[in-house]
Amino acid sequence: MHRRGGGAEAIAKKKLAEAKYKERGTVLAEDQIAQMSKQLETFKTNLEEFASKHKQEIRKNSQFRVQFQEMCATIGVDPLASGKGFWSEMLGVGDFYYELGVQIIEVCLALKHRNGGLITLDELHHRVLKGRGKFAQDVSQDDLVRAIKKLKAMGNGFGMIPVGGSYLVQSVPAELNMDHTVVLQLAEKKGYVTVSEIRDSLKWERERASHVLDHLLKEGLAWLDSQAAGEPQYWLPALFSELLSRDVTPEEANQMTP
């Protein structure tokens, strides 16, 4: 009986120790959370002071702006999340990306009759910089990508298609699936593609290749050169820099289609 009592006492002591250990662990966890919260608040305060001190640099210099956005990301703050609020009011970054988005739309609309609504990120960057003038705020391709993501979130047809280590910017609500994306990537080097090239490279049936190309023609994203030697060539004006560098009228464009 004594042994059983001793065993029960040992179990009770063990449970008491476990409860105290658990309680101590909870206290430690709460202390750690409080300490982390304090550190986070200190970092946020320092970040606000940094933003206030370097306001002009953040607004005007793209590298400074990216660095600041990365700093904000460490504490879960998105300075671009709203056109209002502390960060936007302090830095004017909301206005900056809003104005940049308007410029992107203007450039894409001006070139839509030539490229059907697709433009390389490089070309878009060049034209945005040209339109802003040499005394305007610096704009990087990263800035363009951020602004385009904001436009995409508004559901107005904007999107980005990865091509050759960069992007094609889509500014029209055309339905492009993975087949269309792969064909655009295939045409990236020469600016055009043929049915035979698609079949040889992608091992597709002729019907699949023709269906994709016909859709690109229908959406105005491709032009057909039916007089090309060998077989018809499907040109992607967004990828044909020489075409974009000269003045091509809609009438000239129509002459390249059957």
Side-chain angles (χ1 to χ4, degrees):
M1 291 294 292
H2 180 70
R3 286 182 180 179
R4 285 199 296 271
E9 183 179 356
I11 292 174
K13 287 183 177 180
K14 183 179 179 182
K15 288 184 177 180
L16 180 60
E18 289 176 349
K20 288 184 177 180
Y21 181 80
K22 184 177 180 181
E23 181 181 356
R24 179 59 179 166
T26 301
V27 171
L28 286 173
E30 290 175 349
D31 288 344
Q32 288 176 345
I33 292 173
Q35 186 176 1
M36 289 176 63
S37 298
K38 186 177 180 180
Q39 291 175 345
L40 192 63
E41 191 63 33
T42 300
F43 184 80
K44 185 175 180 180
T45 300
N46 293 337
L47 188 62
E48 291 174 358
E49 292 176 357
F50 175 87
S52 180
K53 182 178 179 180
H54 299 282
K55 176 179 178 178
Q56 295 304 319
E57 289 89 342
I58 294 172
R59 293 187 64 182
K60 293 182 178 180
N61 186 286
S62 61
Q63 292 182 343
F64 219 108
R65 194 159 50 248
V66 170
Q67 181 184 1
F68 176 72
Q69 289 163 354
E70 290 174 349
M71 292 169 65
C72 288
T74 63
I75 60 171
V77 173
D78 182 4
L80 312 181
S82 172
K84 301 178 180 179
F86 172 79
W87 298 105
S88 293
E89 290 178 2
M90 171 178 282
L91 302 175
V93 289
D95 292 339
F96 171 81
Y97 283 98
Y98 171 78
E99 292 169 2
L100 185 57
V102 171
Q103 282 188 291
I104 291 172
I105 292 173
E106 289 175 345
V107 170
C108 290
L109 286 176
L111 297 175
K112 185 176 180 296
H113 74 279
R114 304 181 188 180
N115 57 32
L118 283 180
I119 185 172
T120 63
L121 185 62
D122 288 340
E123 180 71 16
L124 178 60
H125 187 215
H126 169 73
R127 291 182 177 273
V128 166
L129 290 179
K130 185 177 180 181
R132 292 174 69 84
K134 62 181 180 180
F135 297 110
Q137 289 174 252
D138 185 27
V139 172
S140 67
Q141 291 197 2
D142 182 71
D143 287 327
L144 292 182
V145 170
R146 290 174 181 271
I148 291 167
K149 287 181 178 179
K150 296 297 178 183
L151 291 173
K152 182 179 180 180
M154 295 168 63
N156 54 6
F158 273 84
M160 292 183 295
I161 303 169
V163 172
S166 185
Y167 293 99
L168 276 176
V169 178
Q170 179 183 346
S171 60
V172 292
E175 294 184 9
L176 300 180
N177 58 30
M178 187 56 66
D179 279 5
H180 303 117
T181 300
V182 171
V183 170
L184 290 172
Q185 292 171 341
L186 185 62
E188 187 262 337
K189 291 183 178 179
K190 297 187 297 182
Y192 73 87
V193 70
T194 66
V195 172
S196 296
E197 288 172 345
I198 295 175
R199 295 184 65 190
D200 293 341
S201 299
L202 304 178
K203 310 303 179 186
W204 288 1
E205 295 293 332
R206 175 176 291 274
E207 290 75 13
R208 184 178 180 182
S210 297
H211 178 74
V212 170
L213 293 171
D214 287 344
H215 180 78
L216 294 176
L217 283 176
K218 178 183 176 182
E219 296 292 341
L221 303 178
W223 295 354
L224 175 63
D225 182 2
S226 57
Q227 305 301 318
E231 66 176 304
Q233 297 173 346
Y234 293 80
W235 287 88
L236 282 300
L239 301 172
F240 189 21
S241 58
E242 181 181 340
L243 182 65
L244 289 175
S245 66
R246 63 187 180 88
D247 240 12
V248 181
T249 66
E251 290 72 22
E252 291 175 318
N254 289 334
Q255 291 176 7
M256 295 187 66
T257 58

